[in-house]
């Protein structure tokens, strides 16, 4: 399991602090959870890709498959270093 902290950038450009837990984190396929407060976030923010910036420097492009007010279930792939958003 891969655990850590970081932030997600939503469709609107808004960022939220997160704790992430990935049970599967192979080279091109990550599956896991983001623990994040989403009660005040419009659900349309999750309809486009969500970008996770890990504190270690890795950027992961995510698709949200399920969410509640306190977590998101996600699948994604890490981005090559040249494709990362600043």
């Amino acid at each position: 399991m891969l655990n850590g902290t970081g932030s997600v950038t939503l469709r609107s450009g808004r960022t939220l602090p997160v704790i992430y837990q990935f049970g599967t984190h192979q080279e091109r396929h990550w599956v896991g959870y983001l623990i994040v407060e989403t009660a005040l976030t419009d659900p349309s923010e999750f309809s486009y890709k969500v970008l996770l910036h890990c504190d270690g420097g890795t950027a992961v492009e995510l698709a949200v498959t399920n969410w509640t007010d306190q977590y998101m279930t996600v699948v994604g792939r890490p981005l090559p270093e040249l494709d990362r958003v600043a």
Side-chain angles (χ1 to χ4, degrees):
M1 180 161 292
L2 179 64
N3 299 318
T5 60
S7 64
V8 291
T9 304
L10 302 175
R11 184 175 84 166
S12 66
R14 191 171 130 209
T15 60
L16 300 172
V18 299
I19 297 171
Y20 57 83
Q21 300 176 340
F22 289 101
T24 300
H25 53 94
Q26 300 166 354
E27 181 179 343
R28 302 295 292 164
H29 180 75
W30 291 26
V31 178
Y33 296 94
L34 303 180
I35 300 169
V36 57
E37 177 62 45
T38 60
L40 301 176
T41 303
D42 184 345
S44 69
E45 294 273 23
F46 312 133
S47 64
Y48 189 66
K49 66 182 174 185
V50 173
L51 188 61
L52 169 64
H53 295 278
C54 302
D55 283 350
T58 303
V60 185
E61 187 176 54
L62 301 172
V64 177
T65 59
N66 193 16
W67 74 90
T68 70
D69 289 348
Q70 298 178 354
Y71 76 90
M72 293 182 215
T73 306
V74 295
V75 296
R77 62 183 175 90
L79 295 175
E81 210 168 307
L82 295 175
D83 289 346
R84 295 183 186 164
V85 177

